[in-house]
Amino acid sequence: MITFKMINAFLKVNLQIALAYRADTIVNILINLMWLGWELLGLSIIFSNTNSLAGWGLGELITLLGVFRLVNMLMAAVIWPATEKFNTSVRDGSLDYVLLMPANSLFLVSFARIVVWRIWDLVLAVTLIAYGLHSSGGVVTWLNLFYFLVLAAVGAVVMYSLWVVLVALTFWFVKFDNNVTIMQALMDSGRYPVGIYPPWLRLIVTYLVPIAVATTVPVQGLRGDLSGSQVALFLGIGLAAFLVATRVWRAGVRHYSGASS
C-alpha cells in the first residue's frame, strides 16, 4: 500500500512538471512521431526488396517494432531520467538522503523521476502491435495473448535488471557516465528479430545480454512459436536477472562511502 502511495505521489509531482512545460511536451510528441515515421520508412525500404526477413513478414516486423517501442517507453519514461541524477548523487554524496529515507533505495532511485508525456508511446506501441497483427493475418489465441503478456512483463524486468547492474557500477567506478549510452546501444539490437543475427550473437542477445527476451521473444509468444516450457524458461531468466540485479545493487550500496568519507 505504501508503495502505491509513493508511486501516486511521484506521478502527481511529475505531472505538474510536465504541465508546467506544455510546449516542450507537444514538441517531444511531434519528434516522437517523426522518428516513428523514419522507422516505418526503413521497414518499407527493406520489404521493397524482399518478402521476409529471417522468416518474418512486414506485419510481424511492425508488431515487433510496437513491442520495441513498448520496452523503450519504459526505459525512456522511468529508467533513463533517473540515471543522470543517480550518477551525480553518487559523486557529490547526495545519495545519502535517499539511503536515509525509510523506503527501499532502489525503488526511490528508479521511480522518483517519471516523464509523464511518454504515455503517448504506450498508445503508439499498442497501435503498432494491433496493426501489425492485422496486417500479418495471424490468428491470436487467448493462450498466445497470455504468453505475450507474461513475456512482455519478463522482458521489462530483464531490461530493468540490466539497467540496475549498469548504474550500480557507478558505486565502484564513480566517473562511469555511459550507462544510458550503453543501454541504448544494446536496446537497438532488439529492433529486429533475433534470427537475423549469426548464432554467436543470437546466443549473446538472448541469454548473456538478453535484449531479445524483451522484444523478439514476446512476439514469438504471440505468434504461437513457443511452448509452455519455453515460456517458463524465460520466466526463470527474468527472475534470475532480477535477483542478480538486486544483489549487485546491495553490494554497491555497501561499497558506497557517502559524502562524509
Side-chain angles (χ1 to χ4, degrees), residues 12 29 33 35 48-49 54 56 74 78 97 108 110 116 140 149 155 157 160 165 181 204 214 241 245 249 253 255-256:
K12 286 181 178 179
I29 290 175
L33 287 172
W35 279 113
S48 67
N49 297 286
W56 292 55
L74 169 68
V78 180
Y97 300 109
L108 293 174
S110 302
V116 179
V140 178
L149 294 175
V157 170
Y160 174 70
V165 172
T181 303
I204 291 174
W249 175 264
V253 171
H255 185 269
Y256 173 67

PDB file of all heavy atoms in Angstrom, residues 12 29 33 35 48-49 54 56 74 78 97 108 110 116 140 149 155 157 160 165 181 204 214 241 245 249 253 255-256:
ATOM      1  N   LYS A  12       2.054  12.505  -9.450  1.00  0.00           N
ATOM      2  CA  LYS A  12       1.483  13.853  -9.298  1.00  0.00           C
ATOM      3  C   LYS A  12       2.547  14.926  -9.481  1.00  0.00           C
ATOM      4  O   LYS A  12       2.343  15.915 -10.194  1.00  0.00           O
ATOM      5  CB  LYS A  12       0.834  13.975  -7.924  1.00  0.00           C
ATOM      6  CG  LYS A  12      -0.484  13.229  -7.788  1.00  0.00           C
ATOM      7  CD  LYS A  12      -1.079  13.422  -6.398  1.00  0.00           C
ATOM      8  CE  LYS A  12      -2.426  12.705  -6.281  1.00  0.00           C
ATOM      9  NZ  LYS A  12      -3.010  12.852  -4.916  1.00  0.00           N
ATOM     10  N   ILE A  29       6.360  15.097 -28.449  1.00  0.00           N
ATOM     11  CA  ILE A  29       5.436  14.152 -29.089  1.00  0.00           C
ATOM     12  C   ILE A  29       5.577  14.202 -30.603  1.00  0.00           C
ATOM     13  O   ILE A  29       5.592  13.159 -31.284  1.00  0.00           O
ATOM     14  CB  ILE A  29       3.981  14.452 -28.656  1.00  0.00           C
ATOM     15  CG1 ILE A  29       3.784  14.095 -27.176  1.00  0.00           C
ATOM     16  CG2 ILE A  29       2.993  13.678 -29.524  1.00  0.00           C
ATOM     17  CD1 ILE A  29       2.430  14.469 -26.636  1.00  0.00           C
ATOM     18  N   LEU A  33       6.749  11.212 -33.173  1.00  0.00           N
ATOM     19  CA  LEU A  33       6.030  10.786 -34.377  1.00  0.00           C
ATOM     20  C   LEU A  33       6.947  10.799 -35.599  1.00  0.00           C
ATOM     21  O   LEU A  33       6.854   9.935 -36.473  1.00  0.00           O
ATOM     22  CB  LEU A  33       4.832  11.705 -34.610  1.00  0.00           C
ATOM     23  CG  LEU A  33       3.644  11.525 -33.655  1.00  0.00           C
ATOM     24  CD1 LEU A  33       2.618  12.629 -33.871  1.00  0.00           C
ATOM     25  CD2 LEU A  33       3.007  10.154 -33.845  1.00  0.00           C
ATOM     26  N   TRP A  35      10.210  10.225 -35.586  1.00  0.00           N
ATOM     27  CA  TRP A  35      11.076   9.046 -35.510  1.00  0.00           C
ATOM     28  C   TRP A  35      10.315   7.777 -35.885  1.00  0.00           C
ATOM     29  O   TRP A  35      10.867   6.869 -36.521  1.00  0.00           O
ATOM     30  CB  TRP A  35      11.661   8.914 -34.100  1.00  0.00           C
ATOM     31  CG  TRP A  35      12.845   9.796 -33.866  1.00  0.00           C
ATOM     32  CD1 TRP A  35      12.926  10.867 -33.024  1.00  0.00           C
ATOM     33  CD2 TRP A  35      14.127   9.708 -34.510  1.00  0.00           C
ATOM     34  NE1 TRP A  35      14.167  11.446 -33.091  1.00  0.00           N
ATOM     35  CE2 TRP A  35      14.924  10.752 -33.998  1.00  0.00           C
ATOM     36  CE3 TRP A  35      14.664   8.848 -35.471  1.00  0.00           C
ATOM     37  CZ2 TRP A  35      16.236  10.956 -34.414  1.00  0.00           C
ATOM     38  CZ3 TRP A  35      15.975   9.051 -35.891  1.00  0.00           C
ATOM     39  CH2 TRP A  35      16.746  10.093 -35.360  1.00  0.00           C
ATOM     40  N   SER A  48      10.685  -3.618 -49.650  1.00  0.00           N
ATOM     41  CA  SER A  48      10.558  -3.363 -51.088  1.00  0.00           C
ATOM     42  C   SER A  48      11.532  -4.223 -51.882  1.00  0.00           C
ATOM     43  O   SER A  48      11.425  -4.322 -53.107  1.00  0.00           O
ATOM     44  CB  SER A  48      10.818  -1.879 -51.378  1.00  0.00           C
ATOM     45  OG  SER A  48      12.169  -1.542 -51.105  1.00  0.00           O
ATOM     46  N   ASN A  49      12.478  -4.843 -51.147  1.00  0.00           N
ATOM     47  CA  ASN A  49      13.481  -5.694 -51.787  1.00  0.00           C
ATOM     48  C   ASN A  49      13.366  -7.163 -51.394  1.00  0.00           C
ATOM     49  O   ASN A  49      14.093  -8.008 -51.934  1.00  0.00           O
ATOM     50  CB  ASN A  49      14.892  -5.194 -51.431  1.00  0.00           C
ATOM     51  CG  ASN A  49      15.174  -3.801 -51.954  1.00  0.00           C
ATOM     52  OD1 ASN A  49      15.388  -3.602 -53.132  1.00  0.00           O
ATOM     53  ND2 ASN A  49      15.153  -2.821 -51.055  1.00  0.00           N
ATOM     54  N   ALA A  54      14.361 -13.113 -42.163  1.00  0.00           N
ATOM     55  CA  ALA A  54      14.554 -14.225 -41.227  1.00  0.00           C
ATOM     56  C   ALA A  54      13.231 -14.919 -40.914  1.00  0.00           C
ATOM     57  O   ALA A  54      12.984 -15.334 -39.779  1.00  0.00           O
ATOM     58  CB  ALA A  54      15.218 -13.744 -39.940  1.00  0.00           C
ATOM     59  N   TRP A  56      10.247 -13.526 -41.036  1.00  0.00           N
ATOM     60  CA  TRP A  56       9.266 -12.575 -40.516  1.00  0.00           C
ATOM     61  C   TRP A  56       8.776 -11.686 -41.647  1.00  0.00           C
ATOM     62  O   TRP A  56       9.580 -11.124 -42.396  1.00  0.00           O
ATOM     63  CB  TRP A  56       9.883 -11.705 -39.424  1.00  0.00           C
ATOM     64  CG  TRP A  56      10.230 -12.446 -38.161  1.00  0.00           C
ATOM     65  CD1 TRP A  56      11.013 -13.548 -38.053  1.00  0.00           C
ATOM     66  CD2 TRP A  56       9.811 -12.114 -36.838  1.00  0.00           C
ATOM     67  NE1 TRP A  56      11.112 -13.941 -36.738  1.00  0.00           N
ATOM     68  CE2 TRP A  56      10.384 -13.083 -35.970  1.00  0.00           C
ATOM     69  CE3 TRP A  56       9.012 -11.117 -36.294  1.00  0.00           C
ATOM     70  CZ2 TRP A  56      10.185 -13.060 -34.594  1.00  0.00           C
ATOM     71  CZ3 TRP A  56       8.810 -11.080 -34.927  1.00  0.00           C
ATOM     72  CH2 TRP A  56       9.385 -12.044 -34.078  1.00  0.00           C
ATOM     73  N   LEU A  74       9.191   2.269 -21.434  1.00  0.00           N
ATOM     74  CA  LEU A  74       9.527   2.024 -20.033  1.00  0.00           C
ATOM     75  C   LEU A  74      10.881   2.631 -19.694  1.00  0.00           C
ATOM     76  O   LEU A  74      11.032   3.314 -18.666  1.00  0.00           O
ATOM     77  CB  LEU A  74       9.550   0.518 -19.758  1.00  0.00           C
ATOM     78  CG  LEU A  74      10.130   0.092 -18.402  1.00  0.00           C
ATOM     79  CD1 LEU A  74       9.215   0.540 -17.275  1.00  0.00           C
ATOM     80  CD2 LEU A  74      10.348  -1.413 -18.346  1.00  0.00           C
ATOM     81  N   VAL A  78      10.878   6.067 -17.328  1.00  0.00           N
ATOM     82  CA  VAL A  78      11.192   5.819 -15.913  1.00  0.00           C
ATOM     83  C   VAL A  78      12.684   5.651 -15.656  1.00  0.00           C
ATOM     84  O   VAL A  78      13.238   6.249 -14.727  1.00  0.00           O
ATOM     85  CB  VAL A  78      10.446   4.557 -15.414  1.00  0.00           C
ATOM     86  CG1 VAL A  78      10.754   4.294 -13.945  1.00  0.00           C
ATOM     87  CG2 VAL A  78       8.948   4.699 -15.625  1.00  0.00           C
ATOM     88  N   TYR A  97      20.856  11.153   1.253  1.00  0.00           N
ATOM     89  CA  TYR A  97      19.487  11.490   1.622  1.00  0.00           C
ATOM     90  C   TYR A  97      18.514  10.392   1.217  1.00  0.00           C
ATOM     91  O   TYR A  97      17.532  10.122   1.921  1.00  0.00           O
ATOM     92  CB  TYR A  97      19.080  12.818   0.973  1.00  0.00           C
ATOM     93  CG  TYR A  97      19.949  13.984   1.378  1.00  0.00           C
ATOM     94  CD1 TYR A  97      20.833  14.565   0.476  1.00  0.00           C
ATOM     95  CD2 TYR A  97      19.902  14.498   2.671  1.00  0.00           C
ATOM     96  CE1 TYR A  97      21.643  15.628   0.847  1.00  0.00           C
ATOM     97  CE2 TYR A  97      20.708  15.566   3.051  1.00  0.00           C
ATOM     98  CZ  TYR A  97      21.576  16.124   2.132  1.00  0.00           C
ATOM     99  OH  TYR A  97      22.372  17.162   2.516  1.00  0.00           O
ATOM    100  N   LEU A 108      13.270   4.104  -4.780  1.00  0.00           N
ATOM    101  CA  LEU A 108      13.306   5.561  -4.813  1.00  0.00           C
ATOM    102  C   LEU A 108      14.137   6.075  -5.981  1.00  0.00           C
ATOM    103  O   LEU A 108      13.741   7.032  -6.661  1.00  0.00           O
ATOM    104  CB  LEU A 108      13.869   6.093  -3.493  1.00  0.00           C
ATOM    105  CG  LEU A 108      13.006   5.868  -2.245  1.00  0.00           C
ATOM    106  CD1 LEU A 108      13.743   6.320  -0.994  1.00  0.00           C
ATOM    107  CD2 LEU A 108      11.670   6.602  -2.362  1.00  0.00           C
ATOM    108  N   SER A 110      14.714   4.530  -8.763  1.00  0.00           N
ATOM    109  CA  SER A 110      14.105   4.128 -10.034  1.00  0.00           C
ATOM    110  C   SER A 110      12.908   4.980 -10.429  1.00  0.00           C
ATOM    111  O   SER A 110      12.725   5.296 -11.611  1.00  0.00           O
ATOM    112  CB  SER A 110      13.676   2.659  -9.968  1.00  0.00           C
ATOM    113  OG  SER A 110      14.762   1.813  -9.682  1.00  0.00           O
ATOM    114  N   VAL A 116       6.119  11.923 -17.807  1.00  0.00           N
ATOM    115  CA  VAL A 116       4.704  11.568 -17.959  1.00  0.00           C
ATOM    116  C   VAL A 116       4.255  11.555 -19.409  1.00  0.00           C
ATOM    117  O   VAL A 116       3.452  10.701 -19.818  1.00  0.00           O
ATOM    118  CB  VAL A 116       3.827  12.532 -17.128  1.00  0.00           C
ATOM    119  CG1 VAL A 116       2.351  12.193 -17.294  1.00  0.00           C
ATOM    120  CG2 VAL A 116       4.213  12.473 -15.656  1.00  0.00           C
ATOM    121  N   VAL A 140      -4.610 -14.919 -33.286  1.00  0.00           N
ATOM    122  CA  VAL A 140      -4.079 -14.890 -31.926  1.00  0.00           C
ATOM    123  C   VAL A 140      -5.079 -15.549 -30.984  1.00  0.00           C
ATOM    124  O   VAL A 140      -6.227 -15.123 -30.882  1.00  0.00           O
ATOM    125  CB  VAL A 140      -3.815 -13.432 -31.468  1.00  0.00           C
ATOM    126  CG1 VAL A 140      -3.297 -13.416 -30.031  1.00  0.00           C
ATOM    127  CG2 VAL A 140      -2.822 -12.760 -32.399  1.00  0.00           C
ATOM    128  N   LEU A 149       1.682 -11.398 -22.829  1.00  0.00           N
ATOM    129  CA  LEU A 149       1.661 -10.503 -21.674  1.00  0.00           C
ATOM    130  C   LEU A 149       2.690 -10.913 -20.633  1.00  0.00           C
ATOM    131  O   LEU A 149       3.401 -10.070 -20.063  1.00  0.00           O
ATOM    132  CB  LEU A 149       0.258 -10.476 -21.057  1.00  0.00           C
ATOM    133  CG  LEU A 149      -0.843  -9.873 -21.938  1.00  0.00           C
ATOM    134  CD1 LEU A 149      -2.201 -10.030 -21.267  1.00  0.00           C
ATOM    135  CD2 LEU A 149      -0.558  -8.401 -22.232  1.00  0.00           C
ATOM    136  N   GLY A 155      10.281  -9.357 -20.140  1.00  0.00           N
ATOM    137  CA  GLY A 155      11.206  -8.500 -20.872  1.00  0.00           C
ATOM    138  C   GLY A 155      11.464  -7.186 -20.161  1.00  0.00           C
ATOM    139  O   GLY A 155      12.604  -6.704 -20.102  1.00  0.00           O
ATOM    140  N   VAL A 157      11.236  -6.673 -16.953  1.00  0.00           N
ATOM    141  CA  VAL A 157      12.041  -6.981 -15.770  1.00  0.00           C
ATOM    142  C   VAL A 157      13.505  -7.178 -16.149  1.00  0.00           C
ATOM    143  O   VAL A 157      14.416  -6.706 -15.460  1.00  0.00           O
ATOM    144  CB  VAL A 157      11.498  -8.240 -15.048  1.00  0.00           C
ATOM    145  CG1 VAL A 157      12.471  -8.717 -13.968  1.00  0.00           C
ATOM    146  CG2 VAL A 157      10.141  -7.952 -14.433  1.00  0.00           C
ATOM    147  N   TYR A 160      15.047  -3.791 -16.963  1.00  0.00           N
ATOM    148  CA  TYR A 160      15.222  -3.052 -15.718  1.00  0.00           C
ATOM    149  C   TYR A 160      16.414  -3.607 -14.930  1.00  0.00           C
ATOM    150  O   TYR A 160      17.230  -2.846 -14.396  1.00  0.00           O
ATOM    151  CB  TYR A 160      13.946  -3.152 -14.878  1.00  0.00           C
ATOM    152  CG  TYR A 160      14.064  -2.534 -13.511  1.00  0.00           C
ATOM    153  CD1 TYR A 160      14.163  -1.156 -13.358  1.00  0.00           C
ATOM    154  CD2 TYR A 160      14.061  -3.330 -12.363  1.00  0.00           C
ATOM    155  CE1 TYR A 160      14.270  -0.585 -12.105  1.00  0.00           C
ATOM    156  CE2 TYR A 160      14.160  -2.766 -11.104  1.00  0.00           C
ATOM    157  CZ  TYR A 160      14.274  -1.398 -10.981  1.00  0.00           C
ATOM    158  OH  TYR A 160      14.391  -0.841  -9.734  1.00  0.00           O
ATOM    159  N   VAL A 165      22.137  -3.125 -12.930  1.00  0.00           N
ATOM    160  CA  VAL A 165      23.542  -3.554 -12.897  1.00  0.00           C
ATOM    161  C   VAL A 165      24.445  -2.462 -13.450  1.00  0.00           C
ATOM    162  O   VAL A 165      25.505  -2.159 -12.877  1.00  0.00           O
ATOM    163  CB  VAL A 165      23.725  -4.864 -13.690  1.00  0.00           C
ATOM    164  CG1 VAL A 165      25.208  -5.200 -13.827  1.00  0.00           C
ATOM    165  CG2 VAL A 165      22.994  -6.012 -12.993  1.00  0.00           C
ATOM    166  N   THR A 181      24.126   5.436 -22.635  1.00  0.00           N
ATOM    167  CA  THR A 181      24.663   5.183 -23.973  1.00  0.00           C
ATOM    168  C   THR A 181      24.796   3.685 -24.234  1.00  0.00           C
ATOM    169  O   THR A 181      24.410   3.183 -25.303  1.00  0.00           O
ATOM    170  CB  THR A 181      26.040   5.855 -24.137  1.00  0.00           C
ATOM    171  OG1 THR A 181      25.914   7.249 -23.873  1.00  0.00           O
ATOM    172  CG2 THR A 181      26.565   5.651 -25.548  1.00  0.00           C
ATOM    173  N   ILE A 204      24.234 -14.398 -27.468  1.00  0.00           N
ATOM    174  CA  ILE A 204      24.545 -13.287 -26.556  1.00  0.00           C
ATOM    175  C   ILE A 204      23.304 -12.469 -26.249  1.00  0.00           C
ATOM    176  O   ILE A 204      23.006 -12.183 -25.082  1.00  0.00           O
ATOM    177  CB  ILE A 204      25.653 -12.396 -27.164  1.00  0.00           C
ATOM    178  CG1 ILE A 204      26.995 -13.146 -27.180  1.00  0.00           C
ATOM    179  CG2 ILE A 204      25.791 -11.096 -26.366  1.00  0.00           C
ATOM    180  CD1 ILE A 204      28.105 -12.397 -27.889  1.00  0.00           C
ATOM    181  N   ALA A 214      13.266  -9.197 -24.299  1.00  0.00           N
ATOM    182  CA  ALA A 214      12.348  -8.067 -24.137  1.00  0.00           C
ATOM    183  C   ALA A 214      11.585  -7.727 -25.402  1.00  0.00           C
ATOM    184  O   ALA A 214      10.548  -7.055 -25.335  1.00  0.00           O
ATOM    185  CB  ALA A 214      13.128  -6.829 -23.667  1.00  0.00           C
ATOM    186  N   ALA A 241      17.506 -12.738 -13.471  1.00  0.00           N
ATOM    187  CA  ALA A 241      18.080 -11.420 -13.771  1.00  0.00           C
ATOM    188  C   ALA A 241      17.766 -10.426 -12.661  1.00  0.00           C
ATOM    189  O   ALA A 241      18.638  -9.650 -12.233  1.00  0.00           O
ATOM    190  CB  ALA A 241      17.534 -10.908 -15.107  1.00  0.00           C
ATOM    191  N   ALA A 245      20.436  -8.607 -10.166  1.00  0.00           N
ATOM    192  CA  ALA A 245      20.483  -7.141 -10.139  1.00  0.00           C
ATOM    193  C   ALA A 245      20.346  -6.598  -8.725  1.00  0.00           C
ATOM    194  O   ALA A 245      21.074  -5.674  -8.326  1.00  0.00           O
ATOM    195  CB  ALA A 245      19.381  -6.572 -11.036  1.00  0.00           C
ATOM    196  N   TRP A 249      23.070  -4.424  -6.635  1.00  0.00           N
ATOM    197  CA  TRP A 249      22.705  -3.129  -6.048  1.00  0.00           C
ATOM    198  C   TRP A 249      23.060  -3.089  -4.559  1.00  0.00           C
ATOM    199  O   TRP A 249      23.650  -2.105  -4.087  1.00  0.00           O
ATOM    200  CB  TRP A 249      21.214  -2.877  -6.242  1.00  0.00           C
ATOM    201  CG  TRP A 249      20.742  -1.616  -5.569  1.00  0.00           C
ATOM    202  CD1 TRP A 249      20.166  -1.497  -4.332  1.00  0.00           C
ATOM    203  CD2 TRP A 249      20.834  -0.283  -6.085  1.00  0.00           C
ATOM    204  NE1 TRP A 249      19.886  -0.186  -4.057  1.00  0.00           N
ATOM    205  CE2 TRP A 249      20.283   0.580  -5.113  1.00  0.00           C
ATOM    206  CE3 TRP A 249      21.318   0.250  -7.280  1.00  0.00           C
ATOM    207  CZ2 TRP A 249      20.225   1.956  -5.305  1.00  0.00           C
ATOM    208  CZ3 TRP A 249      21.253   1.623  -7.474  1.00  0.00           C
ATOM    209  CH2 TRP A 249      20.707   2.454  -6.484  1.00  0.00           C
ATOM    210  N   VAL A 253      25.612  -0.530  -2.684  1.00  0.00           N
ATOM    211  CA  VAL A 253      25.238   0.338  -1.557  1.00  0.00           C
ATOM    212  C   VAL A 253      26.196   0.138  -0.383  1.00  0.00           C
ATOM    213  O   VAL A 253      26.602   1.095   0.283  1.00  0.00           O
ATOM    214  CB  VAL A 253      23.782   0.058  -1.127  1.00  0.00           C
ATOM    215  CG1 VAL A 253      23.453   0.779   0.181  1.00  0.00           C
ATOM    216  CG2 VAL A 253      22.813   0.505  -2.223  1.00  0.00           C
ATOM    217  N   HIS A 255      29.235  -0.695  -0.643  1.00  0.00           N
ATOM    218  CA  HIS A 255      30.530  -0.132  -1.049  1.00  0.00           C
ATOM    219  C   HIS A 255      30.515   1.393  -1.036  1.00  0.00           C
ATOM    220  O   HIS A 255      31.561   2.027  -0.911  1.00  0.00           O
ATOM    221  CB  HIS A 255      30.899  -0.640  -2.452  1.00  0.00           C
ATOM    222  CG  HIS A 255      32.254  -0.224  -2.919  1.00  0.00           C
ATOM    223  ND1 HIS A 255      32.478   0.925  -3.628  1.00  0.00           N
ATOM    224  CD2 HIS A 255      33.463  -0.838  -2.771  1.00  0.00           C
ATOM    225  CE1 HIS A 255      33.767   1.018  -3.907  1.00  0.00           C
ATOM    226  NE2 HIS A 255      34.386  -0.037  -3.412  1.00  0.00           N
ATOM    227  N   TYR A 256      29.340   1.980  -1.152  1.00  0.00           N
ATOM    228  CA  TYR A 256      29.197   3.445  -1.231  1.00  0.00           C
ATOM    229  C   TYR A 256      29.699   4.080   0.059  1.00  0.00           C
ATOM    230  O   TYR A 256      29.319   3.694   1.153  1.00  0.00           O
ATOM    231  CB  TYR A 256      27.723   3.783  -1.462  1.00  0.00           C
ATOM    232  CG  TYR A 256      27.384   5.240  -1.413  1.00  0.00           C
ATOM    233  CD1 TYR A 256      27.862   6.131  -2.381  1.00  0.00           C
ATOM    234  CD2 TYR A 256      26.566   5.748  -0.405  1.00  0.00           C
ATOM    235  CE1 TYR A 256      27.536   7.475  -2.335  1.00  0.00           C
ATOM    236  CE2 TYR A 256      26.229   7.086  -0.371  1.00  0.00           C
ATOM    237  CZ  TYR A 256      26.715   7.951  -1.320  1.00  0.00           C
ATOM    238  OH  TYR A 256      26.385   9.273  -1.285  1.00  0.00           O
TER     239      TYR A 256
END
